[in-house]
Amino acid sequence: MLDCKHNTELLSQSLERRITWRERLAMRMHLMMCRGCRNFEKQLAFIRKAARELPRKL
Amino acid sequence: MSAIDPEDLQQHRSYLVRYAILQLRDPHLAEDAVQETLVAAIEGRDKFSAQSSLRTWLVGILKHKILDMLRRRAREPQLNVAEGEDENELVDALFKENGRWAAPPQTWNEPEQSMENTHFWEVFEQCNQRMPLNTARAFMMREFMEMSTEEICQELSISTTNCWVLLHRARLALRECLDINWFGNVR
Ligand SMILES: [Zn+2]
């Protein structure tokens, strides 16, 4: 079973590389059961969006 | 005749300095990078086509100057403060021994609306400043300058895996900082 620490690593890496289907499966299984990581996933997407918006907000 | 007037360039100066500070985290270095950018812009003004915006063109030059500066810095070992950074502390504090969250992330209230608030961007910049140097640099190269992971690995002379680790730590740190300082999730 994937734990939260490793799951967050995978979520972050999925922004950097194509993750394997096995990894994706493990990630989805974990996310189904873990609200903390579901929130983290959304927040990760928001952080990327915000950082990419920053040059326009200077 | 050139399409740009040195006066126009000056108008973009303060924007360029802020841009450079975010990446270099040193006002003096940032000033130097912008100075070099403006000189390069004047010398290369024939290459500027009025089709693109002047700011976009200047930022393109500035990105190169910033990378040059980081490369020069990397060759001066005594100035490379990033070496001793121990960033595992943060990750250790966030997760328990068994790998579960010490305090699971709570929902953020209306994050999209924050982007309309100028105070949010101040907090965002402060959170960025608080990150350890190399972590912040990798993150800003990736998200702010929108470089690829490969380019960043090359610039920082680190392995791809290390690059992922840095980016991940940066995201964890930023999330934590925004959570406490903007979204008000008190622990
Ligand atoms: Zn989890």
Side-chain angles (χ1 to χ4, degrees):
Chain A
M1 227 342 257
L2 199 59
D3 63 28
C4 296
K5 188 174 174 181
H6 291 105
N7 187 49
T8 59
E9 283 169 13
L10 266 187
L11 284 167
S12 198
Q13 282 182 25
S14 66
L15 301 178
E16 307 308 327
R17 64 175 174 97
R18 264 193 116 79
I19 56 169
T20 66
W21 68 268
R22 225 176 250 282
E23 289 170 326
R24 186 171 300 277
L25 187 69
M27 218 168 74
R28 287 296 142 211
M29 295 277 281
H30 181 101
L31 286 169
M32 259 192 315
M33 291 178 304
C34 179
R35 182 194 292 270
C37 282
R38 281 203 297 277
N39 285 332
F40 181 80
E41 186 186 26
K42 283 187 214 132
Q43 292 162 3
L44 210 56
F46 172 75
I47 286 170
R48 162 161 285 189
K49 196 172 170 191
R52 295 192 166 192
E53 190 61 25
L54 185 57
R56 277 179 290 278
K57 298 290 177 181
L58 288 183
Chain B
M1 270 309 283
S2 81
I4 40 171
D5 181 335
E7 297 249 324
D8 291 342
L9 291 180
Q10 287 305 324
Q11 287 185 359
H12 295 284
R13 194 191 169 85
S14 70
Y15 175 83
L16 296 174
V17 171
R18 296 197 63 199
Y19 189 105
I21 287 176
L22 277 174
Q23 187 65 54
L24 291 165
R25 300 218 307 185
D26 177 330
H28 298 293
L29 278 185
E31 281 287 344
D32 289 349
V34 170
Q35 203 52 46
E36 286 183 21
T37 299
L38 295 178
V39 170
I42 292 166
E43 286 170 351
R45 60 186 181 274
D46 298 338
K47 287 179 222 129
F48 173 70
S49 89
Q51 266 107 46
S52 74
S53 100
L54 183 55
R55 177 168 290 181
T56 309
W57 185 64
L58 291 171
V59 167
I61 301 174
L62 179 61
K63 283 183 182 178
H64 287 284
K65 297 294 174 194
I66 288 172
L67 292 178
D68 283 348
M69 217 136 238
L70 291 175
R71 276 178 218 136
R72 267 182 258 155
R73 283 268 128 157
R75 274 186 247 117
E76 300 167 29
Q78 73 279 15
L79 294 172
N80 202 345
V81 279
E83 289 308 323
E85 284 174 13
D86 180 17
E87 296 147 46
N88 267 322
E89 266 175 49
L90 170 78
V91 183
D92 290 343
L94 292 178
F95 298 97
K96 294 189 281 195
E97 290 268 301
N98 63 9
R100 302 198 134 252
W101 290 101
Q106 307 286 306
T107 5
W108 281 355
N109 196 24
E110 314 266 12
E112 299 288 327
Q113 269 182 24
S114 312
M115 296 211 272
E116 304 306 319
N117 188 326
T118 43
H119 184 53
F120 169 77
W121 295 103
E122 286 164 22
V123 174
F124 195 90
E125 284 190 45
Q126 282 160 12
C127 287
N128 181 62
Q129 296 286 324
R130 274 191 221 166
M131 279 195 266
L133 196 61
N134 259 2
T135 311
R137 260 181 200 158
F139 178 77
M140 292 304 269
M141 280 180 179
R142 182 74 183 101
E143 309 295 5
F144 182 65
M145 303 221 284
E146 301 198 30
M147 290 166 64
S148 70
T149 318
E150 293 73 28
E151 288 173 301
I152 298 168
C153 299
Q154 234 175 10
E155 283 303 330
L156 298 175
S157 323
I158 53 176
S159 69
T160 314
T161 319
N162 269 334
C163 205
W164 290 337
V165 170
L166 277 187
L167 291 170
H168 182 49
R169 281 181 190 161
R171 292 174 179 133
L172 285 173
L174 257 184
R175 197 214 74 83
E176 209 48 31
C177 185
L178 290 174
D179 195 53
I180 296 166
N181 297 294
W182 181 257
F183 294 100
N185 285 328
V186 185
R187 292 277 138 102

